[in-house]
Amino acid sequence: MNTSNDTAELELKDIVTSNASFGPIEIEIISRRISEDYSRFSTLRELTSQLEHQENRTPATSVRLGVCQYFLGRYESACHTFVNADGGAIAFYYQGKCHIALKRYARAIESFESARTAGYDQNLCRLSVAEAKRLHGNFPGAMEILDNMFGPIEQTADYLFQRGATIAAIGNNRLEVVALYQRAIEINPTHAGALFGLAIENDRSGNDAVALDMYQRAANVFPANVGALLNLGILYEDRGDYLRAKRCYDRILESYPTHPRALLFRRDTMASMDESYDFDEHKKEEFIAQILKIPASQFELSVRSRNCLQKMGLVTLGDLTRISEQELLASKNFGETSLVEIKEMLANKGLSLGQFANQSAIVEEPIDLGTLGPDEQALLERPISELGLSVRARKCMTRLGLNTIGELVRKSGDDMLECKNFGVTSLNEVREKLTQLGLKLRGE
């Protein structure tokens, strides 16, 4: 019998349904208990349903209900509930947080100002106003608030996160952003915003291991950032861990049943889980593919054999598996001795001449930059990172070995769709970004 779990369940029930005091401390306990064990989310949902069906709710009970609805992602319902609440500081503050979630930033600022007037923590209200301004695109307004906050608040995780997020939105000092997020996490290791922000910065820099750890830690905090769950799911997919990816998307859909990206990604993950994929055969194919890339020049061949291969443009072992004995012997100065030598070399790697004669090597036409103007050349030489693609699309670019926009436009839509975890949504995203630059994928 898990006594500690039973105690936590009873504590959660008591906070939500009793008539005892209900303030920031109790709200923090709700968040902490579900962060400790996400299965308690269903308990919160059941308790919230009980409150919703309670007749003649008191204004104080409406505050409890509104906060619980906020935790469940039912922001419109929460706003309606707060209208019938006690008109106190907590009701105004969480009404503001609901407005932020619904992207009603002007109304959010009004609610936070009302919360401040009603006695809610002055600094937290100011930080929330700064957040609303930042999310609304008013970066100078957000920074002005932060610049005029002094004293102990400057050393809190909330302040450091908001400052880091604002500087990140302005986009002029990544090192400072990372430093601010790291300081926030040192002060509060479970600060969801700072963890998510630091995960994104590492994800963009290709630090996958650190990004994964940060996304996992951010996802463990309740309520979790939807972006953290989405990106974590994508990283799990990249590792072939489809069950964990599905769990990430399921958590989003528990609160937002119609979330389009979560629905799409979950469908892709389920399709991957249902595939009867022979991993041993896949590994074998990957191994062979690596062998086929080995240059023939790495092997000890006679001068005559080496010269003949060079004249025929046969560079790798893969090239030799796509040509027949007759074709080799038809080459000038290539005789039986050289043929035996080549066949022995291939046999040592488990290959043979003509083994893949029905497959042609894929050779992409190089882009002739000489026919382009300076501006066009500069555009194609720009790194793909400047397109501002989503995490999933960026991962595909990495897997395809694409670094510049010029390399990208040499690919067709079908080429892109063959990439693991890259679907029509990501393809349309790439097309849209290229269209903004007046470019298209090959064949379009």
Side-chain angles (χ1 to χ4, degrees):
M1 182 174 180
N2 192 335
T3 306
S4 61
N5 188 59
D6 291 342
T7 301
E9 291 277 344
L10 290 172
E11 182 182 32
L12 189 60
K13 182 176 181 179
D14 184 60
I15 290 174
V16 175
T17 60
S18 74
N19 292 320
S21 62
F22 185 79
I25 294 176
E26 288 71 29
I27 293 171
E28 171 61 26
I29 291 174
I30 293 175
S31 173
R32 191 186 314 140
R33 291 294 172 255
I34 300 177
S35 297
E36 292 167 352
D37 185 349
Y38 186 71
S39 66
R40 293 173 188 151
F41 179 85
S42 60
T43 302
L44 177 64
R45 188 165 48 200
E46 292 169 5
L47 295 172
T48 303
S49 179
Q50 292 177 24
L51 289 182
E52 289 174 331
H53 289 89
Q54 183 176 318
E55 296 182 0
N56 302 317
R57 289 193 303 268
T58 65
T61 300
S62 291
V63 174
R64 277 184 166 81
L65 174 57
V67 172
C68 290
Q69 289 171 326
Y70 162 77
F71 275 136
L72 296 176
R74 303 174 188 171
Y75 304 122
E76 285 288 9
S77 297
C79 286
H80 178 73
T81 299
F82 285 131
V83 171
N84 299 310
D86 58 9
I90 292 176
F92 281 126
Y93 185 76
Y94 278 89
Q95 189 175 44
K97 291 178 78 68
C98 288
H99 284 315
I100 278 188
L102 294 167
K103 300 182 180 180
R104 298 195 293 238
Y105 303 117
R107 295 178 65 179
I109 291 173
E110 291 177 4
S111 295
F112 292 134
E113 292 294 355
S114 296
R116 186 164 65 89
T117 301
Y120 204 82
D121 185 283
Q122 304 286 305
N123 285 322
L124 288 181
C125 289
R126 293 178 70 189
L127 287 176
S128 295
V129 171
E131 180 180 30
K133 287 179 179 289
R134 167 173 58 81
L135 293 173
H136 200 203
N138 183 2
F139 307 144
M143 189 57 74
E144 182 180 6
I145 292 174
L146 297 170
D147 284 342
N148 285 283
M149 296 182 73
F150 305 101
I153 187 63
E154 293 180 276
Q155 301 306 315
T156 64
D158 286 334
Y159 177 87
L160 294 167
F161 162 66
Q162 290 297 344
R163 190 168 192 89
T166 304
I167 295 173
I170 296 171
N172 60 0
N173 196 331
R174 180 183 175 277
L175 291 178
E176 184 178 2
V177 170
V178 171
L180 287 165
Y181 288 156
Q182 288 176 334
R183 284 174 57 197
I185 293 172
E186 289 171 3
I187 295 170
N188 180 3
T190 63
H191 195 286
L195 288 167
F196 179 47
L198 201 53
I200 289 178
E201 294 299 331
N202 280 279
D203 203 345
R204 288 172 176 168
S205 300
N207 302 324
D208 287 353
V210 178
L212 177 63
D213 177 58
M214 293 297 165
Y215 280 134
Q216 288 173 329
R217 290 170 61 183
N220 285 336
V221 180
F222 179 81
N225 184 291
V226 171
L229 288 169
L230 281 173
N231 292 355
L232 179 58
I234 292 170
L235 286 180
Y236 281 144
E237 285 185 61
D238 287 341
R239 287 161 170 73
D241 195 342
Y242 299 114
L243 182 58
R244 285 187 177 179
K246 174 181 172 295
R247 288 172 182 163
C248 290
Y249 306 141
D250 284 343
R251 280 187 59 184
I252 297 171
L253 295 171
E254 280 186 310
S255 297
Y256 315 101
T258 61
H259 194 284
R261 293 183 70 194
L263 286 168
L264 175 64
F265 292 176
R266 187 184 188 278
R267 185 168 63 247
D268 290 345
T269 297
M270 291 300 294
S272 298
M273 291 174 68
D274 292 340
E275 288 177 356
S276 55
Y277 196 82
D278 188 340
F279 286 99
D280 289 337
E281 185 63 26
H282 177 61
K283 292 297 182 184
K284 179 181 177 182
E285 291 175 358
E286 285 187 336
F287 180 67
I288 292 176
Q290 293 300 317
I291 292 177
L292 295 178
K293 294 178 182 178
I294 298 175
S297 59
Q298 288 188 7
F299 297 87
E300 293 184 4
L301 297 174
S302 64
V303 175
R304 174 169 292 188
S305 296
R306 196 181 300 275
N307 289 340
C308 287
L309 294 181
Q310 186 176 0
K311 289 178 181 178
M312 297 179 71
L314 303 175
V315 179
T316 65
L317 299 188
D319 293 337
L320 291 169
T321 63
R322 288 186 285 267
I323 193 169
S324 67
E325 293 185 19
Q326 291 73 25
E327 288 175 300
L328 276 177
L329 290 171
S331 177
K332 186 178 179 180
N333 297 327
F334 195 94
E336 289 289 344
T337 302
S338 295
L339 179 63
V340 171
E341 187 179 19
I342 295 297
K343 290 172 69 174
E344 287 180 353
M345 176 186 72
L346 290 174
N348 288 333
K349 290 294 182 181
L351 303 172
S352 61
L353 285 170
Q355 182 177 355
F356 301 118
N358 60 329
Q359 300 180 11
S360 58
I362 299 174
V363 180
E364 294 183 337
E365 289 291 331
I367 297 177
D368 185 5
L369 298 179
T371 63
L372 304 177
D375 291 341
E376 293 172 311
Q377 291 185 33
L379 175 59
L380 294 179
E381 291 172 352
R382 284 166 56 183
I384 287 178
S385 59
E386 294 188 9
L387 292 179
L389 296 172
S390 64
V391 174
R392 176 168 290 201
R394 290 201 310 273
K395 296 291 183 185
C396 180
M397 302 299 107
T398 301
R399 281 192 289 270
L400 290 172
L402 304 178
N403 298 303
T404 67
I405 294 175
E407 292 172 345
L408 173 59
V409 297
R410 290 165 61 184
K411 296 291 182 181
S412 67
D414 289 339
D415 292 334
M416 307 298 290
L417 290 173
E418 288 178 1
C419 185
K420 179 183 175 183
N421 297 333
F422 190 89
V424 175
T425 301
S426 297
L427 176 60
N428 289 335
E429 178 190 355
V430 170
R431 284 170 170 159
E432 181 181 344
K433 297 291 187 181
L434 290 177
T435 299
Q436 294 172 2
L437 299 175
L439 299 172
K440 294 182 179 180
L441 291 170
R442 179 168 57 84
E444 297 185 353

